[in-house]
Amino acid sequence: MQDDLAADGTAAAPIVDPAHARPHATAEEYRSAVAQARRAAAAYYAGEQTLLDDAEYDALYARIVVSEREHPQWRADDSPTAVVGTPGGDIEHSTPMLSIGNVFDTEGLHDWAAKLDKALGRPVTRYTVEPKIDGLAIAVRYVEGRLTLIATRGDGYTGEDVTSQARLIAGLPTRLSAPVTIEIRGEVYMTDADFAMGCDLRLAHGEPVFANPRSAAAGSLRAQRVYDVPLSFMAYAATGLPDEHAHSHSTAIAHLAALGVATTAESSAGLTVCADIDEVTTAVAALGARRGDLGFGIDGVVIKADLAADQAQAGYSTRAPRWGIAHKFPADTRTTTLLRIDVQVGRTGVITPVAVLEPVQVGGVVVTSATLHNFADLQRRDVRAGDTVYVRRAGDVIPEITGAVHDARPADAEPYTPPVTCPRCGGDIDRSNQRWRCARGRACGEKATLLYFTSRDAMDIEGLGEKILDALLAAGHITDAADLYALDVPTLAAMDRLGTVSATNLVNSIAATKARPLSRVLTGLGIRMTGRTLSRRIARHFGTMDAILAAALAEWEQVDGIGTERAAVISAELAEVAPLIAKLAAHGVNMTEPTGPAAATDDTATAGSALPLRRPDGTPMTVVVTGSVPGLTRNQGNEAVEELGGKSSGSVSARTDFVVVGDGAGSKATKAADLGLPILDADKFAQLLTAHRAGDHDTATAILATVTPTPPR
């Protein structure tokens, strides 16, 4: 393996593209790499514990490719460049189940398209773009509409009979909607939810958790167990279709869906038909941006020439079709070393184990820590310091440890011992729920809670810093946020280094925050599973604190971004802090949102002017602000989006209406350019806000008219 380092000394992402890989120095190194690749592939296709993560395998494969290119005399008969999958089985495939070539960036995708155009002697008629499911390829035969055989890919020519496991696979009916004889090909995979359920089932039966969803699906398809692990299927091809359904890939997939089979077109990822390679590039970027929201794992996107005539003319190489290619994404599961397990105590007293990791690039981001969920889960999974662990990061979610490579465990690795008392205050721990919590709850972290309440993004109390809070807590003058509003000048002036003038200024500063909007109060309370953006959304939806406290769970679920689980947590948290809320209100702290609930649904602002960031149907545009906006903090920029009637988002995706780009913009601006999203300069955004507040509709409309799409990069 290449042992490359990033500029900061952390482990760099493995070089997975043969165009950038270096060859092996000797034939012996090459043969060793081939043997390692074959062992890893055997474990991969068998669904056993992963020997190499995807990025490591792709990097190994890339070096084998470039070594064979420069030293063709070295090429081994069992090279992974010549052999697909693993040794076959007893079932001979009707046509070979070949692999598919890979590209790793837009340049590689355009190069492939140019070669395909050259092979055809003309441009490709059109393309399809669909998810590359991270699962196990199978062939499924139906005779007169009845399922008769399921076979694994095997070596591409013969596979293993796994028909007995058909009952486990959702999306693969035992009888089609028409009595046709057909062979369907696709992927057996495990959804994120089913992977979690499968791990729980394994643990309940005394077995180690799965390494990842892909190996879980492959192993479960072959295993005969006393319990059933749920699997899913998605079709991507078929043979034996009638001519009227076989003239293109897109029509073939549509026909399979009509027969009752789950297909890539019906999935949350969808199948996109594109007129040219530029549209393909946009579709690939859009699917990559949604990768973490699909509910199942994909490791790339598959691009195909749509028309059967184009496919037939392009033909095949020895191991892959020339008319199709996979655009691989950065691996979202990697292996690294768990250095130690730390314990964090949150503002609300929740105690969480956190993995400190040897830095590793996962999904294009350097990860140094990851969540271990809770102590019960940590002990069930038997993860220890020193272990080689699987780190998963799908999309923009928080990295998590999904398991450990127990065969690689150091001999001196000790089982983890959870804390017996709260690490912060030394008090008792409430273990009645999966997520442990200090028995003192919020009182355990009163300082952290108060710092958050007084911070710029919450109540923004000027002049009240950490040292003054420490002194107030030590003197017993305050125990919660409401006590701040009871402070007077004599009390503060008697404290060290304050005096009458400073005390008077601080009392006035605290009193001024009583007029802050409800959304700021909600933010300052630090309710679990909320944040600044969601607190604003809640405040604008309900309008008053009384309405919030009286809301039933069903009403909570009407707020954008709040589902059943989050609604229950937020409701319980609010009930817990209700006495504090009452105490704040008694001190005169505002408990209403100035714009009221109408701001979330009406097309007019409080002054009666139209909201610029509303669509004609009244729904809000999704806007991302990146970089600095003149005259506004980052949080105020997001608040401005909502004041203008839009929905502020922290991540760029194909569903983003436009991106506000200011000085210091980083990866979000780059991603917006890659997706070809509309861009608005931050100066113009500030002018838009000013015009809206002045009721100058014409100027606001003219500014929005300058928001134009940028060509994808």
Side-chain angles (χ1 to χ4, degrees):
M1 298 296 290
Q2 291 164 277
D3 186 17
D4 296 312
L5 294 177
D8 61 0
T10 61
I15 297 174
V16 298
D17 187 348
H20 305 295
R22 66 175 187 265
H24 293 99
T26 66
E28 184 179 357
E29 283 185 14
Y30 162 78
R31 286 192 295 271
S32 176
V34 168
Q36 185 183 13
R38 295 305 301 160
R39 288 193 301 272
Y44 177 87
Y45 286 103
E48 297 172 1
Q49 195 169 60
T50 306
L51 300 182
L52 296 175
D53 63 45
D54 286 351
E56 290 172 330
Y57 180 83
D58 286 344
L60 185 68
Y61 184 87
R63 294 197 70 187
I64 291 172
V65 169
V66 74
S67 294
E68 292 176 349
R69 188 180 299 151
E70 295 200 12
H71 304 283
Q73 71 277 13
W74 289 357
R75 181 165 182 162
D77 292 340
D78 63 345
S79 167
T81 64
V83 179
V84 177
T86 57
D90 298 330
I91 306 301
E92 184 174 352
H93 294 307
S94 55
T95 58
M97 293 187 71
L98 300 182
S99 184
I100 191 166
N102 295 325
V103 296
F104 299 90
D105 52 29
T106 301
E107 181 182 357
L109 185 56
H110 279 265
D111 288 347
W112 167 79
K115 290 177 184 177
L116 182 56
D117 287 348
K118 184 176 180 180
L120 295 178
R122 55 176 172 79
V124 172
T125 308
R126 62 176 182 260
Y127 299 90
T128 58
V129 174
E130 58 195 312
K132 185 176 184 296
I133 309 300
D134 194 12
L136 179 74
I138 60 170
V140 187
R141 296 179 190 174
Y142 286 88
V143 176
E144 295 184 354
R146 290 180 176 273
L147 191 156
T148 60
L149 178 70
I150 303 175
T152 63
R153 181 210 298 266
D155 62 3
Y157 298 93
T158 60
E160 193 179 336
D161 187 342
V162 290
T163 312
S164 62
Q165 302 294 71
R167 71 186 188 284
L168 304 177
I169 308 171
L172 196 60
T174 55
R175 182 187 288 271
L176 300 177
S177 62
V180 296
T181 298
I182 191 174
E183 180 169 308
I184 298 171
R185 291 178 176 180
E187 295 276 333
V188 172
Y189 65 100
M190 197 172 276
T191 66
D192 293 345
D194 287 345
F195 176 65
M197 182 186 299
C199 286
D200 287 342
L201 283 169
R202 296 266 288 179
L203 289 168
H205 286 82
E207 300 176 19
V209 294
F210 294 118
N212 53 60
R214 196 260 162 223
S215 64
S220 298
L221 191 63
R222 292 180 170 85
Q224 299 293 333
R225 301 191 178 105
V226 296
Y227 58 93
D228 288 343
V229 174
L231 301 171
S232 296
F233 175 80
M234 207 176 286
Y236 57 67
T239 59
L241 289 171
D243 290 343
E244 64 268 25
H245 299 302
H247 66 84
S248 72
H249 175 61
S250 54
T251 56
I253 292 297
H255 181 58
L256 294 181
L259 292 174
V261 177
T263 69
T264 51
E266 295 177 298
S267 71
S268 54
L271 182 148
T272 304
V273 178
C274 299
D276 54 39
I277 197 62
D278 289 331
E279 286 189 12
V280 167
T281 302
T282 301
V284 168
L287 189 50
R290 295 170 50 211
R291 182 183 185 185
D293 302 324
L294 300 177
F296 56 88
I298 64 173
D299 56 2
V301 177
V302 176
I303 301 97
K304 300 174 182 176
D306 187 31
L307 294 191
D310 285 354
Q311 293 184 7
Q313 186 177 345
Y316 296 80
S317 68
T318 55
R319 59 176 277 120
R322 294 189 178 91
W323 44 262
I325 201 74
H327 185 293
K328 293 290 290 290
F329 292 147
D332 72 349
T333 298
R334 295 293 314 280
T335 53
T336 190
T337 302
L338 173 60
L339 301 177
R340 66 179 187 275
I341 297 173
D342 286 347
V343 178
Q344 292 181 350
V345 184
R347 291 191 312 274
T348 61
V350 172
I351 304 170
T352 308
V354 176
V356 179
L357 306 169
E358 187 74 37
V360 61
Q361 287 206 21
V362 187
V365 174
V366 176
V367 173
T368 58
S369 63
T371 180
L372 287 162
H373 298 293
N374 57 68
F375 293 101
D377 183 68
L378 171 56
Q379 290 186 299
R380 284 199 305 269
R381 293 174 185 269
D382 190 20
V383 176
R384 307 180 186 182
D387 277 349
T388 298
V389 293
Y390 302 103
V391 186
R392 186 176 182 221
R393 183 182 182 273
D396 292 325
V397 302
I398 298 171
E400 63 173 344
I401 303 294
T402 61
V405 185
H406 291 151
D407 290 345
R409 170 168 290 163
D412 59 351
E414 295 287 339
Y416 176 72
T417 303
V420 295
T421 59
C422 174
R424 182 158 61 196
C425 72
D428 293 337
I429 296 177
D430 177 1
R431 297 176 175 82
S432 59
N433 295 307
Q434 275 197 333
R435 298 187 73 190
W436 291 4
R437 196 177 185 194
C438 176
R440 297 180 63 213
R442 292 170 178 270
C444 171
E446 66 267 10
K447 179 182 173 181
T449 300
L450 284 164
L451 281 171
Y452 189 72
F453 183 86
T454 61
S455 66
R456 177 182 295 181
D457 290 330
M459 297 301 280
D460 192 14
I461 301 179
E462 187 177 350
L464 185 55
E466 186 173 355
K467 289 183 178 179
I468 296 177
L469 277 177
D470 283 338
L472 289 169
L473 287 166
H477 294 318
I478 60 172
T479 58
D480 58 32
D483 290 338
L484 293 171
Y485 296 93
L487 293 172
D488 55 31
V489 173
T491 299
L492 291 174
M495 297 177 62
D496 288 342
R497 291 181 293 180
L498 266 180
T500 303
V501 174
S502 296
T504 301
N505 290 338
L506 183 53
V507 167
N508 291 337
S509 178
I510 293 171
T513 67
K514 292 180 181 180
R516 297 272 192 256
L518 173 61
S519 54
R520 292 284 192 129
V521 179
L522 273 177
T523 300
L525 290 172
I527 304 299
R528 278 189 294 161
M529 300 190 78
T530 69
R532 297 185 298 267
T533 299
L534 190 52
S535 292
R536 290 195 299 269
R537 208 174 295 156
I538 291 168
R540 295 189 181 194
H541 181 88
F542 290 107
T544 69
M545 183 64 82
D546 286 343
I548 289 173
L549 294 176
L553 289 180
E555 294 176 86
W556 278 106
E557 293 178 38
Q558 300 304 310
V559 181
D560 184 28
I562 297 182
T564 304
E565 180 182 353
R566 182 170 288 186
V569 171
I570 294 173
S571 181
E573 281 279 300
L574 284 165
E576 182 178 331
V577 299
L580 175 59
I581 292 171
K583 195 173 172 183
L584 287 166
H587 282 293
V589 176
N590 172 58
M591 293 291 167
T592 63
E593 188 71 3
T595 52
T601 55
D602 292 347
D603 288 347
T604 58
T606 52
S609 58
L611 291 170
L613 300 186
R614 288 293 171 93
R615 302 185 184 93
D617 64 358
T619 57
M621 297 181 187
T622 299
V623 178
V624 174
V625 179
T626 179
S628 60
V629 176
L632 302 177
T633 66
R634 183 176 65 175
N635 195 39
Q636 288 170 340
N638 293 329
E639 289 177 341
V641 170
E642 297 183 7
E643 181 180 340
L644 293 166
K647 177 182 175 182
S648 176
S649 175
S651 59
V652 175
S653 74
R655 291 168 289 183
T656 303
D657 287 283
F658 69 87
V659 179
V660 176
V661 177
D663 290 341
S667 60
K668 293 177 184 178
T670 303
K671 190 171 185 179
D674 289 340
L675 291 173
L677 295 175
I679 300 293
L680 180 65
D681 181 77
D683 288 326
K684 290 186 176 180
F685 180 73
Q687 294 168 16
L688 172 66
L689 181 63
T690 300
H692 172 67
R693 288 173 173 173
D696 188 348
H697 314 313
D698 292 339
T699 298
T701 301
I703 292 171
L704 280 177
T706 67
V707 180
T708 54
T710 57
R713 306 194 316 164

